[in-house]
Amino acid sequence: LQSTYRGEEASSPALTHMISASIGEAAACLVRVPTEVVKSKMQTNAAGASSLSATFKLVVSEKDGRAFGSQVFGGLYRGYGITLMREVPFAFIQFPLYERLKVEWAKIQGFETSPLQAATCGSFSGGIAAAFTTPLDVVKTRLMLGSDKNGVKYHGANDVIGRILKEEGTPVLLSGIQPRVMWISIGGFVFFGAYESYRSLLMNFPR
């Protein structure tokens, strides 16, 4: 694709990582969003969410037109758009930063980074991406819940942002930033550490 638009020899590793990560996130959200919607309903003790099956039926019955494919899937994909708006910027920040950190670390020490060092790069890049995308995460969570604590329904991302700024204040958009950065940093360390370890193992596996 890059060679088509930028010449045969053109290559941008950062752009490649961004595009690949974005496509992967879009596909993953098809599974992740319904899970998040059901989980959010159960965690907030919404009326009718007494069990997993009951919560699932409740969400599917919410055919209010605000969710992607609501006539078929009900509210299962409520927040799909804003989730993509969170995950794509997250991937845009995390993956290029992760690869750049590995390159710079390798330059400093004169040889390729180890899986442990790569895990550290993944942890740091994930934490940075998590911090910058926290406001989008807050908006996504509100949209998935469908209404505020008083039961007043939200009507899109702009409505959520406007009401937060008007009724609760700007700092609310950073709600949960500390635990979000912490768990994503830990998750990034484990994920990239495991990924690089098995990648190294498979590449050195005798053929």
Side-chain angles (χ1 to χ4, degrees), residues 80-128:
Y80 180 78
I82 191 63
T83 301
L84 283 183
M85 288 175 63
R86 179 196 68 175
E87 297 299 337
V88 170
F90 181 92
F92 266 45
I93 297 170
Q94 183 187 35
F95 286 95
L97 181 57
Y98 165 67
E99 294 294 340
R100 173 51 59 182
L101 288 172
K102 286 202 306 174
V103 169
E104 295 302 324
W105 199 333
K107 285 181 180 178
I108 292 172
Q109 65 185 9
F111 53 88
E112 189 176 346
T113 54
S114 68
L116 181 60
Q117 292 171 332
T120 303
C121 294
S123 177
F124 182 78
S125 60
I128 295 295

Side-chain angles (χ1 to χ4, degrees), residues 47-60:
S50 57
S51 66
L52 177 60
S53 59
T55 305
F56 182 82
K57 291 178 182 178
L58 172 66
V59 174
V60 172

Side-chain angles (χ1 to χ4, degrees), residues 174-183:
L174 295 177
S175 298
I177 188 171
Q178 296 95 339
R180 175 171 164 78
V181 169
M182 181 181 69
W183 74 259

